């Protein structure tokens, strides 16, 4: 029973880092696109808040070939708990990237035509994943020789974008054909278009609005609360000690629950007990199947994640306004044609918030298309059910 629960947890909840779900939903077999993880180094970076971080490192991967004038580059930006593994495999038969269904040779984002780049963010969650490279609280502060912990500067979505800009420019790219990302990746796409309008040809924000409103800020605070309540968190000073993985696992379970839709949860789990021999009515510790799924899923993700990085990501998302300033100012700077892909059943970025974003961008005269992503998984439709939108993505990228 325990092994069966763990398999279910990994199969569903790692949809937030997505290789398992991507593999389930991938199109018919084609030759593997093999990618290599690379690392971009910056001697120093000054944050939007004016603090300097030395020895910044972020990982990235690419596929395809830059054309002669370097005008065919597409940047893929990742979601809250993701990393740069958006496409391809690191070895034949290995787990595919989370958007492998739409990125690769002959796919919606055709790597025979485009040079595709995907980058790990600063304070990336997946510090225990060997295929993630990031700088954040868990990495060494060169001034002390110890992990940064909570002394790491507060970073914003705009800082993620500015580091990406430095990487893109190091590759000799002066203008991106497109920027595309899901959820927190969509925030980065909006920010690219608002902060660096001359560098972006078009954007494809998926399952996200262009501002963290009060409703989302409150939800993000709830995501973070279990970490802060875990005594092992110790105000962020836990490196070299027992980490606050119980709190982190609960936080990740909250993310999973929020990202899925009620109809999917109900259809998948119903009111079944986790163990048929242990009636939930007989004891407080006897669980329903959905409870056990969330606990196992959170624990599995916590083993490769870092609690402080989670908190810094929460803060970056709470602070987000496209381009800085007020939302209206940032959106008014977006000149790049925009393809908004949204899930009507999304409980993280509500359809009403996406509609406000669409209207605000269009009010400035920018061309905006909006299309629904259908599927049962709510917010996660932007990962799990993106493939049917492939023809619209291709048309938008090539017009």
């Amino acid at each position: 029973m325990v092994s069966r629960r763990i398999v279910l947890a990994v199969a569903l909840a790692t949809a937030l880092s997505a290789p398992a779900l991507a593999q389930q939903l991938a199109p018919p077999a084609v030759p593997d696109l093999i990618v290599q993880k690379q690392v971009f180094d910056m001697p120093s970076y000054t944050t939007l808040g004016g603090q300097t971080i030395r020895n910044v490192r972020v990982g990235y991967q690419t596929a395809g070939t830059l054309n002669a004038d370097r005008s065919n580059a597409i940047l893929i930006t990742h979601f809250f708990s993701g990393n740069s593994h958006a496409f391809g495999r690191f070895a034949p038969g290995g787990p595919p990237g989370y958007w492998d269904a739409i990125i690769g040779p002959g796919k919606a984002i055709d790597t025979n035509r485009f040079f595709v780049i995907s980058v790990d963010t600063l304070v990336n969650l997946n510090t225990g994943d060997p295929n993630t490279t990031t700088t954040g609280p868990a990495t060494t502060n060169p001034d002390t020789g110890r992990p940064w912990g909570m002394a790491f500067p507060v970073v914003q979505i705009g800082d993620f974008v500015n580091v990406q800009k430095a990487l893109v420019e190091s590759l000799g790219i002066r203008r991106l054909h497109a920027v595309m990302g899901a959820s927190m990746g969509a925030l980065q796409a909006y920010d690219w278009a608002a902060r660096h309008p001359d560098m972006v040809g078009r954007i494809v924000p998926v399952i996200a609005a262009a501002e963290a409103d009060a409703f989302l800020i409150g939800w993000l605070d709830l995501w973070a609360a279990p970490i802060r309540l875990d005594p092992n968190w110790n105000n962020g000073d836990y490196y070299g000690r027992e980490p606050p993985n119980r709190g982190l696992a609960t936080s990740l379970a909250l993310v999973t629950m929020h990202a899925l839709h009620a109809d999917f949860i109900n259809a998948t789990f119903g009111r079944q007990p986790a163990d048929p021999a242990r009636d939930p009515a007989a004891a407080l510790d006897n669980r329903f199947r959905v409870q056990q799924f969330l606990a196992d899923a959170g624990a599995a993700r916590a083993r490769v994640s870092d609690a402080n990085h989670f908190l810094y990501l929460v803060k970056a998302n709470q602070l987000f306004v496209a381009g800085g300033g007020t939302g209206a100012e940032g959106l008014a700077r977006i000149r790049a044609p925009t393809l908004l892909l949204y899930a009507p059943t999304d409980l993280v970025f509500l359809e009403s918030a996406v509609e406000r974003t669409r209207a605000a961008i269009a009010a400035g005269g920018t061309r905006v298309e909006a299309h629904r992503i259908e599927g049962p998984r709510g917010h996660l439709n932007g990962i799990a059910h993106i493939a049917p939108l492939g023809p619209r993505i291709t048309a938008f990228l090539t017009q």
Side-chain angles (χ1 to χ4, degrees):
M1 176 61 69
V2 171
S3 62
R4 181 172 176 272
R5 288 199 304 261
I6 292 174
V7 167
L8 176 63
V10 171
L12 288 172
T14 57
L16 294 174
S17 62
L21 188 54
Q23 197 155 22
Q24 293 171 29
L25 300 165
V30 295
D32 289 345
L33 172 63
I34 303 302
V35 295
Q36 292 183 329
K37 197 61 180 280
Q38 302 174 70
V39 176
F40 174 65
D41 292 281
M42 296 180 72
S44 68
Y45 170 72
T46 301
T47 69
L48 294 172
Q51 295 183 272
T52 298
I53 307 168
R54 293 202 294 123
N55 298 352
V56 170
R57 308 182 83 226
V58 292
Y60 70 102
Q61 63 178 65
T62 67
T65 303
L66 273 170
N67 58 11
D69 62 359
R70 299 177 182 262
S71 63
N72 67 332
I74 295 177
L75 177 67
I76 306 297
T77 49
H78 68 71
F79 48 93
F80 185 95
S81 60
N83 62 12
S84 62
H85 193 201
F87 52 88
R89 303 169 193 261
F90 292 119
Y98 61 86
W99 264 353
D100 199 65
I102 59 168
I103 303 174
K107 298 179 183 179
I109 303 173
D110 189 351
T111 52
N112 291 327
R113 177 170 187 164
F114 297 109
F115 178 70
V116 185
I117 315 161
S118 184
V119 188
D120 295 331
T121 63
L122 294 172
V123 301
N124 189 283
L125 182 63
N126 304 282
T127 57
D129 181 347
N131 292 314
T132 299
T133 302
T134 189
T135 298
T139 58
T140 300
N141 179 347
D143 294 331
T144 66
R146 300 180 64 250
W148 278 91
M150 300 302 279
F152 194 78
V154 170
V155 288
Q156 302 181 41
I157 298 296
D159 291 308
F160 302 172
V161 166
N162 287 342
V163 171
Q164 292 161 9
K165 178 176 180 287
L167 165 60
V168 165
E169 290 177 336
S170 77
L171 299 174
I173 299 165
R174 295 294 173 260
R175 181 175 170 83
L176 291 162
H177 183 78
V179 181
M180 177 175 179
S183 193
M184 187 183 80
L187 305 188
Q188 294 165 73
Y190 290 125
D191 203 71
W192 259 101
R195 200 175 292 277
H196 306 294
D198 294 333
M199 286 191 67
V200 182
R202 51 188 57 75
I203 59 172
V204 186
V206 181
I207 53 171
E211 183 178 45
D213 59 17
F215 188 72
L216 180 58
I217 290 169
W219 262 110
L220 288 163
D221 206 51
L222 294 177
W223 288 10
I227 293 171
R228 295 182 178 277
L229 292 172
D230 188 326
N232 287 342
W233 181 59
N234 193 37
N235 293 315
D237 184 14
Y238 56 81
Y239 299 108
R241 308 179 187 181
E242 184 71 24
N245 276 2
R246 178 176 293 184
L248 177 57
T250 304
S251 289
L252 288 162
L254 272 170
V255 175
T256 300
M257 190 69 180
H258 193 190
L260 292 168
H261 192 266
D263 290 347
F264 179 81
I265 292 287
N266 289 332
T268 303
F269 300 103
R271 291 182 53 81
Q272 300 173 35
D275 183 345
R278 300 181 66 186
D279 182 357
L284 285 175
D285 289 339
N286 292 357
R287 294 180 166 188
F288 289 96
R289 189 176 171 216
V290 66
Q291 292 175 283
Q292 193 64 56
F293 156 68
L294 290 169
D296 290 343
R301 290 287 293 126
R303 286 194 287 272
V304 294
S305 303
D306 180 82
N308 282 340
H309 282 232
F310 187 105
L311 297 180
Y312 273 74
L313 284 168
V314 161
K315 176 62 77 172
N317 280 263
Q318 288 175 319
L319 293 172
F320 179 70
V321 178
T326 69
E329 291 170 349
L331 295 178
R333 292 198 293 271
I334 294 179
R335 301 196 300 271
T338 301
L339 174 62
L340 283 175
L341 303 179
Y342 69 97
T345 55
D346 192 342
L347 301 177
V348 179
F349 287 97
L350 303 182
E351 183 177 5
S352 58
V354 176
E355 171 54 27
R356 289 195 298 272
T357 295
R358 186 207 63 77
I361 296 174
T366 297
R367 179 168 61 86
V368 185
E369 299 178 37
H371 297 285
R372 296 158 61 108
I373 307 171
E374 304 293 353
R377 289 178 169 86
H379 189 62
L380 288 186
N381 288 340
I383 303 299
H385 298 281
I386 191 74
L389 275 296
R392 291 197 181 275
I393 294 168
T394 298
F396 181 75
L397 293 176
T398 56
Q399 61 193 12

